[in-house]
Structures are given as structure tokens and as C-alpha cells.
Amino acid sequence: MLLDVKTPYPQDKILGMVAFERVIGIVVQKEGRFIGLLHGDARASYSVMVKSGEKIYYGFVTNQNFKTYVNFLPAYAPVKPGDVVLTSGLDGIFSAGIFVGTIASVENHYTYKKALLNIEHLKSMLFYVTLVAQP
């Protein structure tokens, strides 16, 4: 998705993309053009935190076969469906606390957990986004 961005940003800066009061992806620059990578795009990845009860566990959003996951959660984390996923602010892309989605299901791997992310799909092809850039 090509974006019409009027503000200049450094070429190597990855930006966060927010619409409908939630994260919808990231923005990269290629050959001077801004390209939006929505959830489902294998190149879209950023750091998140999962709130499970009173505790927070950190992982990364990854995408595979057009599905979005929170990957590399600690194996001991009691993450369960319905837990809220927010940006962590640790990657320099998003500030902390922006809503991403909720956990749909959890896979246990030997040394980590991988959780399918339940995200709301975009209802319109035309919308305005807010770009988020950390200093």
C-alpha cells in the first residue's frame, strides 16, 4: 500500500501505522516512497506486550500465511485467549500502550510460545492513518 506522506522522515526510519484506534501495521521507505505493510504481510514485525492477569510478557508480531502472531513469548507465560496485546515501545517504532488486538489461541513450543493474534480486519479500503515515529 503506497502512502501519500507530506512530512520528511529519515530513509532508514520505520514508522508505526495506526487507524481506528489500533495498530494496523508499519511503514517503510523504498526509493523515496512510503510503503504501508499491513498485518498479514511477512515483512511487518514489531515488539509487543501481552497483558495476562497482572503480569506483562513481551514478544514480537510476526506474520505467516497472512495470519498474524505474537511470537517468542516466554514458555512459562500463562498467556490465554482473550489476553490484550499492546505495543511495547521497546523497538523504536511505536510508543508503549497502543492497542493491537487480543490473543485468539496459543501454541506451546519447546522454549517459547506462539499466539495467534485476533485483529479486526479493515472494513474500508479508504481511510486515514496516523504515523507514529519515536524520536
Side-chain angles (χ1 to χ4, degrees):
M1 167 172 69
L2 291 177
L3 302 173
D4 183 19
V5 178
K6 305 296 184 204
T7 304
Y9 292 97
Q11 283 285 342
D12 60 345
K13 183 76 173 160
I14 298 173
L15 306 171
M17 194 166 33
V18 177
F20 312 109
E21 300 177 358
R22 62 186 174 89
V23 172
I24 63 169
I26 62 172
V27 177
V28 296
Q29 292 181 66
K30 186 173 182 179
E31 299 173 5
R33 301 191 81 161
F34 290 85
I35 301 170
L37 305 175
L38 299 172
H39 286 136
D41 190 306
R43 299 169 291 172
S45 182
Y46 54 93
S47 176
V48 293
M49 57 184 171
V50 178
K51 287 186 152 190
S52 184
E54 296 295 318
K55 299 211 176 203
I56 293 176
Y57 301 96
Y58 295 93
F60 292 92
V61 164
T62 60
N63 297 280
Q64 185 178 20
N65 298 325
F66 301 103
K67 292 183 181 178
T68 303
Y69 296 90
V70 177
N71 215 342
F72 305 113
L73 290 162
Y76 60 83
V79 176
K80 62 190 176 313
D83 285 347
V84 174
V85 179
L86 305 168
T87 55
S88 70
L90 299 175
D91 54 17
I93 299 172
F94 292 100
S95 55
I98 303 171
F99 183 77
V100 177
T102 58
I103 299 297
S105 62
V106 179
E107 297 174 17
N108 289 311
H109 293 265
Y110 182 68
T111 57
Y112 67 95
K113 288 185 178 183
K114 180 178 180 180
L116 179 63
L117 188 57
N118 184 20
I119 55 175
E120 216 177 295
H121 294 286
L122 302 176
K123 295 180 181 19
S124 172
M125 292 303 291
L126 180 62
F127 52 87
Y128 290 96
V129 300
T130 300
L131 297 183
V132 179
Q134 282 194 338

